[in-house]
Amino acid sequence: MIQRFFKRRSGSQAEMAFIDHLEELRWHILRSLIAILVLAVVIFYYHGWFFANIIAGPINPDFISYRAFCKLADLIHVKSLCMDPVVVDMQSTTFGGQFLGTFTIAFIGGFIVAFPYIFWEFWRFVKPALKEGELKNTGSAIFWVSLFFFLGAAFGYFVLGPFTFNFLAGFQISDLPMMTTRPTLNDYLNNLCNIVLGCGLAFELPVMAYVFTRMGLITPKFLKEKRRYAIVIILILAAFITPSPDWISQTLVFIPLMLLYEIGVFVSKKAAKELAEKDKELWS
């Protein structure tokens, strides 16, 4: 399969040996790593500001999301939507914990900022393997992939992050005063990265729906038939990550996720229509 991909990738160019393709791939990866490294160095140099204003945002009482949710709560008269920011007293259990944590912040931040360039390098490598018909509607692929990734990352950072940390830090297994939540720096960074990167990748659902439909792996009919299951799963997820049983706060999380699924159905229809038109041209 890999060899067939490389054969198609050669196209009208002179035949390249398998090792030559790997060499070119190596340079694409190397340039992507250099971009991440350069941005990581910048973030590392300004690590104090970056941590105080970006990383610690979802657990900062003055975070913009807390103020926005409180204003929304006053506007729609739902007091439970205004969360009381929890006081998180983080710790580092090793001498090098904060130093190594700074490296984690720098490289994860570098990857997120460099994502459009990384995908562009990946696209440059894959593009020669695509046929003319396959390239017809992919001119804006980098824009859409990057847009959905950053929208997902922003949703995770500004919405899911505050909800999740507020709920988990405030949850008590018992009323007895013998348990205190005191997370380590590494624990907090892992949770924040999982939320932000996870949402960034999850928001690629419309893009993946388009690609998988063009590949024949899914159909719009399949997505429509599974919609009721998607609704249940998204409702459970929204109920789990919101700090209160109030339906308003759960709806604020449910709507974007459900909208994302519907966008996936829409783009799947578009891709299926393009395939049908292509087949019609071939048989006409």
Side-chain angles (χ1 to χ4, degrees), residues 51-186:
F51 181 85
N53 294 277
I54 305 296
I55 301 301
I59 57 174
N60 189 334
D62 294 327
F63 190 47
I64 185 174
S65 294
Y66 290 116
R67 300 198 303 269
F69 283 129
C70 286
K71 290 181 180 179
L72 181 61
D74 292 336
L75 182 65
I76 61 179
H77 304 291
V78 180
K79 295 182 179 180
S80 60
L81 190 59
C82 183
M83 298 176 288
D84 293 326
V86 294
V87 178
V88 178
D89 185 18
M90 281 189 290
Q91 61 179 329
S92 179
T93 58
T94 60
F95 283 113
Q98 295 189 51
F99 182 71
L100 295 177
T102 305
F103 276 98
T104 301
I105 294 170
F107 281 99
I108 296 297
F111 172 81
I112 293 175
V113 177
F115 180 82
Y117 178 79
I118 296 171
F119 183 77
W120 179 68
E121 286 287 353
F122 170 78
W123 180 248
R124 287 177 59 198
F125 179 74
V126 173
K127 188 176 180 180
L130 302 178
K131 297 179 181 178
E132 184 177 351
E134 295 171 333
L135 287 170
K136 184 178 180 181
N137 298 296
T138 57
S140 57
I142 298 174
F143 169 78
W144 288 111
V145 170
S146 301
L147 175 64
F148 281 109
F149 177 80
F150 285 124
L151 284 176
F155 178 76
Y157 180 75
F158 289 104
V159 180
L160 288 192
F163 274 131
T164 302
F165 290 120
N166 187 280
F167 171 75
L168 294 179
F171 181 82
Q172 294 289 333
I173 194 173
S174 172
D175 293 333
L176 297 176
M178 61 177 59
M179 292 294 294
T180 301
T181 300
R182 187 172 298 162
T184 63
L185 174 62
N186 186 57

Side-chain angles (χ1 to χ4, degrees), residues 138-246:
T138 57
S140 57
I142 298 174
F143 169 78
W144 288 111
V145 170
S146 301
L147 175 64
F148 281 109
F149 177 80
F150 285 124
L151 284 176
F155 178 76
Y157 180 75
F158 289 104
V159 180
L160 288 192
F163 274 131
T164 302
F165 290 120
N166 187 280
F167 171 75
L168 294 179
F171 181 82
Q172 294 289 333
I173 194 173
S174 172
D175 293 333
L176 297 176
M178 61 177 59
M179 292 294 294
T180 301
T181 300
R182 187 172 298 162
T184 63
L185 174 62
N186 186 57
D187 180 36
Y188 173 71
L189 292 177
N190 286 339
N191 279 278
L192 182 62
C193 290
N194 289 338
I195 292 171
V196 173
L197 294 179
C199 287
L201 295 177
F203 267 58
E204 297 293 347
L205 175 61
V207 178
M208 299 307 297
Y210 181 85
V211 173
F212 287 158
T213 302
R214 292 297 297 261
M215 293 173 64
L217 298 178
I218 62 173
T219 63
K221 182 180 179 181
F222 172 82
L223 293 177
K224 290 179 180 179
E225 291 176 348
K226 302 302 179 183
R227 180 184 280 118
R228 58 182 180 273
Y229 300 110
I231 292 175
V232 173
I233 293 174
I234 294 174
L235 281 172
I236 293 174
L237 179 63
F240 176 76
I241 61 180
T242 49
S244 71
D246 184 82

